[in-house]
Amino acid sequence: MSEVKSLSHLRAGVIGTGFIGPVHIEALKRVGVQVTAVCGSTAGATATAEKWGIPEVHGDYDYLAMCASPNVDVVHITSPNKFHVEQSLAALSAGKHVVCEKPLGMTTAETTPLVVAAAASDRVFAVNYMCRFFPGVLQMRELVQSGKLGKIIHVQGHFFQDWLLKETDFNWRLLADEGGKLRAVGDIGTHWIDAVSFILGARAESVFATLETFHKTRLRPSGPVQTFTEVDPSEMTRYEVDTEDFASLLLRFNNGVHANASVSQVAAGIKCSLYIGIYGTEGSVRWDLQQPNEIILGRRDEPNQILQRGSAGFLNDVAHFTDYPAGHPEGFPDSHKMHCRAVYEHIASGETTPVLFATADDGHHEMELCEAILNSASQSKWVTVGT
Amino acid sequence: MSEVKSLSHLRAGVIGTGFIGPVHIEALKRVGVQVTAVCGSTAGATATAEKWGIPEVHGDYDYLAMCASPNVDVVHITSPNKFHVEQSLAALSAGKHVVCEKPLGMTTAETTPLVVAAAASDRVFAVNYMCRFFPGVLQMRELVQSGKLGKIIHVQGHFFQDWLLKETDFNWRLLADEGGKLRAVGDIGTHWIDAVSFILGARAESVFATLETFHKTRLRPSGPVQTFTEVDPSEMTRYEVDTEDFASLLLRFNNGVHANASVSQVAAGIKCSLYIGIYGTEGSVRWDLQQPNEIILGRRDEPNQILQRGSAGFLNDVAHFTDYPAGHPEGFPDSHKMHCRAVYEHIASGETTPVLFATADDGHHEMELCEAILNSASQSKWVTVGT
Amino acid sequence: MSEVKSLSHLRAGVIGTGFIGPVHIEALKRVGVQVTAVCGSTAGATATAEKWGIPEVHGDYDYLAMCASPNVDVVHITSPNKFHVEQSLAALSAGKHVVCEKPLGMTTAETTPLVVAAAASDRVFAVNYMCRFFPGVLQMRELVQSGKLGKIIHVQGHFFQDWLLKETDFNWRLLADEGGKLRAVGDIGTHWIDAVSFILGARAESVFATLETFHKTRLRPSGPVQTFTEVDPSEMTRYEVDTEDFASLLLRFNNGVHANASVSQVAAGIKCSLYIGIYGTEGSVRWDLQQPNEIILGRRDEPNQILQRGSAGFLNDVAHFTDYPAGHPEGFPDSHKMHCRAVYEHIASGETTPVLFATADDGHHEMELCEAILNSASQSKWVTVGT
Amino acid sequence: MSEVKSLSHLRAGVIGTGFIGPVHIEALKRVGVQVTAVCGSTAGATATAEKWGIPEVHGDYDYLAMCASPNVDVVHITSPNKFHVEQSLAALSAGKHVVCEKPLGMTTAETTPLVVAAAASDRVFAVNYMCRFFPGVLQMRELVQSGKLGKIIHVQGHFFQDWLLKETDFNWRLLADEGGKLRAVGDIGTHWIDAVSFILGARAESVFATLETFHKTRLRPSGPVQTFTEVDPSEMTRYEVDTEDFASLLLRFNNGVHANASVSQVAAGIKCSLYIGIYGTEGSVRWDLQQPNEIILGRRDEPNQILQRGSAGFLNDVAHFTDYPAGHPEGFPDSHKMHCRAVYEHIASGETTPVLFATADDGHHEMELCEAILNSASQSKWVTVGT
């Protein structure tokens, strides 16, 4: 384990007890942070507290009570997307640091005032684009920003999943009212764009997008459902789908780099592949979430290299965000752990460590991108981001 | 070896003695065809004849003499792109079957009359889009057209090389006058599109393209050069580049399928990766020229499968285009061999075997696509192919 | 996250603060167990307690004090190998459950009475052969023991590392007095054998071994050193090495299966590859720690399959030992987490859950194997285990 | 295509028209050699001649007639193993060069006089251990023999197939009388050992072997059968098997290197995997026939490298045995082509090129190895080769 300043004096409260809430709890415990409070439905919050040994329970979705708790330094927001902004504002108002799940909100209209509030506050505000904290992503960023790949020419990649392939697959994210007008792009495509922006140290300034809804209608269960559970099709209702199944995104970054990303939640057999290839004049790097512990470094006139996390070719400042020796694979949960480490060390240090995590402004930028993507797709033309 | 009708009574003559001419000669010999004549520069043709034991030499680029030879049944055209049409027309006129290297020509204006001439002739006319004859590609076609993948949703892939990464890399294809206005797309992108069309049994009807010339100028040697040889930069001249280094292509096929292809000749470390992923409602298939002997078959609710050439999962009609047992890898030269097998068996059978190879019409369609791609890129909008 | 009985009422104390102690602490926190005490050097234990927020500190290596603590239910022993037995006996005497790092001890003479003590006790005793808890290993076990692979024919694999490649690499494990007479085999080879035994549901009954010490002498630092840190060669002393660098192990299991394992700590470029291939009459399975989230299932007359953790092909009882959805990679730390889950649920359930973890008897069996391996290597003949 | 001296004036005659005979014919044609004669059953030889356009046919297995032909310079022997020696002696007697399929014969008693005859002759004698001519194997040899990997420590690998997994799989090689007493080892294991010897520039001097016949009895068809064809089990007869299904081989080379190879023809799902890992003090190399165009170069303190055939990291003298550019995969048939190139250039050059191919002495050495392996397995002890 690398030596890090103790985070054991910081105390977190988590709003939300669905899939991602416990992911935060586990990550927090792994970096030594105390998880002192949980908020959700009364049943959900009570069960979560019992499972994890969390002393303070705020049932009935009473997030204001949690924000007011003297036993909480940092509020984690893992509730559905449409509650992110109001809960973020409440937590900031209460003087708490905030770690908000992505997306930051539903629209830029909503997130604009939050950016203002976060800027005005002296608290830390982080959006959980945790893909930045895969050591492979951090290392690709180093290789790009140090100039080791020369001038970057183009970027290509994808984010493919298959969990919404069938018309009987249901999740609240399928509904624009619940998850936002963009679904595949909003849910996973923004991870791709955020990671690429982070690596390049640049932002997309214009986009061309094609959005396709393959299943014009789908079937949904009558009652409420969780992600990743099975439902009997005979008890389902057909409804019109107002979010896209897949997309092609062309992006022009403000450093001149062209990027091409395919995004799909209907790619059979591919459970969760986030793939990024960065091509420069002196070399390329390729990385896939499916094999997160290595990067392929491509060279024209020398052999390609396999950079292994924890060994030669991974730089020192990346080492702070990996704990296990080379050859001992880390994975998806470790990226959440390292996101927590970055945010909490920033807090513990009095905000003196580098801001590697996504800020409110970064979260807002992703909202602007989503709106530009929607505009481009509906108008079939290149659209400038933020207009 | 699978049983095939003997092709040893058919006689081929090859125009061109550069990189690809000998690839044809080798492929022809592998299927038992006699190579009876070669045409090129006097020195080149003589050397090629000596090396391969070819009896008839037509030097001084005298392709008309070869077309007139009574010892040639089929003329192979492997000369530079700008000679393809005139040599094809001459061979057809002389009553020869023709195997023409791709692209079929420089413009649709040029290839339109060739399509007419080929249709009017009773000779076989093939364009060497030999990627169709990788067993993996034939098998993907079977899986798609038999419906085993359900309804196709989208296609994603790339064709990446790095041999033109540096500004000092030179080849005649860099010059629009020699190779055509499209370079990366024309040279390798059309292989990708042809293979996908072949697999889908459909044609692209509209395109959106971004073409980028990263090196606005490059250096070239003073004298003539061959592909894949090294030149001293100090003896080079700077010139303006009028062809693209890389492209993003979005395609809408006439069966409703959306495709996204990245094409690059400046992708460091990637020597020659032609990758195709086809995503359907019942499954997906993925294949890369870099690992040509297997296909990954993706499923949502069952384990993914690895289909190995020559074993279970590869169908009978594909078996005719593979000779070696499972686990004994075939490669790039074998695709040329199998293209020759398909064409020559079509000739030997009196044109009764299925036309799996690309025809003059297919070659012309690729020219139309190139022109639509150029239009789309210059106008930044979707363009209908063939208009 | 799968639903598990809350483990938050169980309290662990950890002896040892080197590399592996904190790995236990992190794993315990991930399953909701309270870590209430830590024991080690005064400085080490204090620092570890501060980092992780552990209330009770037992410095000066006072493990008896920890064993006596009323705030500890389970004692984790992560001290050097030579202390394992005495600390285990002390913890059992004090009425604590025990999780002991492997190997269980230095010799069978030492571990024999511990097996007796563990059997006489009503406490749970586990040895941390946590490789059993990679979901891939659990799944291979299911496939073998359910008969899905038919009758097992042979097993082949390796455990390769490179961290002791150079003569200047130093660690206490190199010294027979500290780590035991077998080093590569004792340290990593036993993981391979334990995992294969677990998968087969059988034990090796005879062995043939070749042990090789490539570096007859090595250099060591004058002072004490930690694993995985760098030392200046000029300050080192040459010493004779009395443990092996690599080994070939042939094993005959009591169900007739033949196994061949290569073990090496001098395999350049391979950081930590534990690879197991199991070959049966109906199919084979192959798994590598380097890609822990998938198993390749081989078939003779059907396509091979890729079984992905968390998706079709991974059975229900394996699912209890994985938390993240398919495509979200888990890794090495997760295997420790799942080992803790298995042990603590066994405790929490009143010892009613299946004993999947390695017991004192399993740990003792590995010691017997090591002694048989030493005998075989010195006599160049097959040796029966346990004689 | 690399420039090679023309081989088009050399004329080959091939004895045998089964699976491997046509593989030779194709390889010969690819390097420009004339195939002027074929010998086999009257029907087989006639059909083969017709398919490939071979002018001279020697039916009724009349190999003496072929050896006497004035139109043949080199005789290729691809008949069953038990005829290799007598046909080799006849061809040498007739003053022909010889390319004999492996194994060289059935016993060392048989091959000893052949070694004498070959040495006494001024003709070239090659045994078709063509695995030496995969560019990856040639390149591994360069890396080892140039010292780039430092001192070699150990070698590990396997040769696995599954075509004899089922008791109903039949081939003449299963019968000791037809193929020799060793089957898996003789058929594929010797390829592994020959390739490793070639790479190391050393010979195995002692062996320890375990041979296992999993199927004590098998079923065979009543009539004669070809490899790779299907037979109806109900028309089969049960017989006792006198050759091994799999083996573990430990080898000590005369340069001190230890090697461990697993050999199996009952490894479900693995069609033909020849894998070699060479581990040295400065680096390791790993290569698999399944991905023949690349080598993984392992380093302790630098990133591992992927050496791609035809590009940086592959040396000049290897380049002579590869024709296609990097990224254009070559495969199994190409190894036969390159073996022919090496042998025929040796002939054409007046025996001045390096003898990279296996000689009669090398073929005899493999027979000695087989006998030592049989002795070791029956006596369960290390046996010196050649005693």
Side-chain angles (χ1 to χ4, degrees), chain A residues 228 230, chain C residues 2-4 135 138-139 141-143 148 308-323 338 341 345 354 356:
Chain A
F228 303 118
E230 283 179 34
Chain C
S2 60
E3 277 320 300
V4 295
L138 285 163
Q139 180 63 34
R141 178 174 174 267
E142 278 301 321
L143 288 165
K148 287 195 184 66
Q308 298 180 77
R309 183 192 53 74
S311 70
F314 267 75
L315 304 174
N316 284 342
D317 48 351
V318 172
H320 186 58
F321 295 104
T322 182
D323 282 340
M338 294 306 167
R341 176 174 293 170
E345 287 189 354
L356 295 173

Side-chain angles (χ1 to χ4, degrees), chain B residues 1-9 19 22-23 26-27 29-33 49-53 134 161 228 269-273 289-293 308 311-312 323-334 336-337 341, chain D residues 1-9 19 22-23 26-27 29-33 49-53 134 161 228 269-273 289-293 308 311-312 323-334 336-337 341:
Chain B
M1 302 265 160
S2 59
E3 276 321 300
V4 295
K5 186 183 166 93
S6 175
L7 305 176
S8 64
H9 305 291
F19 166 68
V23 172
E26 183 178 358
K29 286 182 167 270
R30 294 179 79 181
V31 294
V33 169
E50 165 64 9
K51 177 173 172 189
W52 292 96
F134 283 101
Q161 298 180 330
F228 303 118
I270 304 195
K271 301 307 168 195
C272 191
S273 169
L289 169 54
Q290 286 310 290
Q291 208 151 336
N293 294 278
Q308 297 180 78
S311 68
D323 283 339
Y324 289 85
H328 297 69
E330 295 179 355
F332 173 80
D334 304 83
H336 284 278
K337 170 186 175 185
R341 176 173 292 170
Chain D
M1 302 266 159
S2 60
E3 276 321 300
V4 295
K5 186 183 167 96
S6 175
L7 306 176
S8 63
H9 304 291
F19 165 67
V23 172
E26 182 178 359
K29 286 182 165 270
R30 295 179 78 181
V31 293
V33 169
E50 165 64 10
K51 176 173 173 188
W52 292 95
F134 283 102
Q161 298 180 331
F228 303 118
I270 304 194
K271 301 308 168 196
C272 190
S273 170
L289 170 54
Q290 287 309 291
Q291 208 151 337
N293 294 278
Q308 298 180 77
S311 69
D323 282 339
Y324 289 84
H328 297 69
E330 296 180 353
F332 172 81
D334 303 83
H336 284 277
K337 171 187 176 186
R341 177 174 293 170

Side-chain angles (χ1 to χ4, degrees), chain D residues 37 59 65 76 121 132 152 162 167 182 187 199 241 245 249 265 283 288 295 303 305 312 324 331 341 350 383:
Chain D
H76 286 243
S121 162
R132 298 179 175 206
I152 303 306
D162 72 357
E167 67 170 6
L182 280 176
D187 195 21
I199 291 166
V241 180
D245 287 318
L249 305 179
Q265 293 180 317
D288 193 328
I295 297 168
Q305 295 183 345
Y324 289 84
R341 177 174 293 170
V383 167

Side-chain angles (χ1 to χ4, degrees), chain A residues 58-116:
Chain A
H58 298 283
D60 208 14
Y61 303 107
D62 189 355
Y63 68 90
L64 292 174
M66 174 185 274
C67 291
S69 169
N71 303 314
V72 168
D73 301 311
V74 187
V75 171
H76 286 244
I77 298 169
T78 74
S79 51
N81 301 351
K82 63 183 172 184
F83 301 120
H84 288 182
V85 168
E86 69 182 82
Q87 294 176 346
S88 291
L89 289 169
L92 282 176
S93 280
K96 307 301 189 193
H97 306 286
V98 178
V99 176
C100 184
E101 259 306 320
K102 41 67 55 180
L104 185 57
M106 301 286 280
T107 63
T108 55
E110 197 189 34
T111 57
T112 298
L114 179 52
V115 171
V116 174

Side-chain angles (χ1 to χ4, degrees), chain A residues 1-9 18-19 22-23 26-27 29-33 49-53 134 161 228 269-273 289-293 308 311-312 323-334 336-337 341, chain C residues 1-9 18-19 22-23 26-27 29-33 49-53 134 161 228 269-273 289-293 308 311-312 323-334 336-337 341:
Chain A
M1 302 264 163
S2 60
E3 277 320 300
V4 295
K5 186 183 167 94
S6 175
L7 305 176
S8 63
H9 304 292
F19 166 68
V23 172
E26 183 179 359
K29 285 181 166 271
R30 295 179 77 182
V31 293
V33 169
E50 165 63 10
K51 177 173 172 189
W52 292 95
F134 283 102
Q161 298 180 331
F228 303 118
I270 304 195
K271 301 307 169 195
C272 191
S273 170
L289 170 55
Q290 286 309 291
Q291 207 151 336
N293 293 278
Q308 298 180 77
S311 69
D323 282 340
Y324 288 85
H328 297 69
E330 295 180 353
F332 173 81
D334 303 84
H336 284 277
K337 170 187 175 185
R341 177 174 292 169
Chain C
M1 302 264 160
S2 60
E3 277 320 300
V4 295
K5 186 184 168 93
S6 175
L7 306 176
S8 64
H9 304 290
F19 166 67
V23 172
E26 183 178 358
K29 286 181 166 272
R30 295 180 78 181
V31 293
V33 169
E50 165 64 10
K51 178 174 172 188
W52 291 96
F134 282 101
Q161 298 180 330
F228 301 118
I270 304 194
K271 301 308 169 193
C272 191
S273 170
L289 169 55
Q290 286 310 289
Q291 207 151 336
N293 294 278
Q308 298 180 77
S311 70
D323 282 340
Y324 289 85
H328 296 70
E330 295 180 353
F332 173 80
D334 304 82
H336 284 278
K337 171 187 175 185
R341 176 174 293 170

Side-chain angles (χ1 to χ4, degrees), chain D residues 363-378:
Chain D
H364 176 70
H365 174 65
E366 292 294 323
M367 299 309 302
E368 288 180 323
L369 270 163
C370 287
E371 293 177 359
I373 286 165
L374 280 165
N375 286 340
S376 170
S378 67

Side-chain angles (χ1 to χ4, degrees), chain C residues 183 211-218 241-246:
Chain C
R183 186 228 316 158
L211 304 174
E212 302 272 355
T213 303
F214 180 78
H215 291 299
K216 307 300 186 202
T217 65
R218 286 174 176 262
V241 180
D242 53 4
T243 57
E244 85 285 2
D245 287 319
F246 69 91

Side-chain angles (χ1 to χ4, degrees), chain A residues 149 151-155 278-284 298-300, chain B residues 159-167 169 174 183-184 188 212-216 218 241 243-247 262-271:
Chain A
L149 303 183
K151 189 163 158 46
I152 302 306
I153 304 173
H154 61 82
V155 176
I278 312 271
Y279 298 90
T281 53
E282 300 300 321
S284 66
R299 298 281 190 194
R300 221 297 284 275
Chain B
F159 201 147
F160 280 177
Q161 298 180 330
D162 73 357
W163 68 291
L164 295 173
L165 175 60
K166 303 195 163 178
E167 68 170 7
D169 298 319
L174 284 157
R183 186 227 317 157
I188 57 177
E212 302 273 355
T213 304
F214 180 79
H215 292 298
K216 307 300 185 203
R218 287 174 176 262
V241 180
T243 57
E244 85 286 1
D245 287 318
F246 68 90
S262 293
V263 179
S264 175
Q265 293 181 315
V266 291
I270 304 195
K271 301 307 168 195

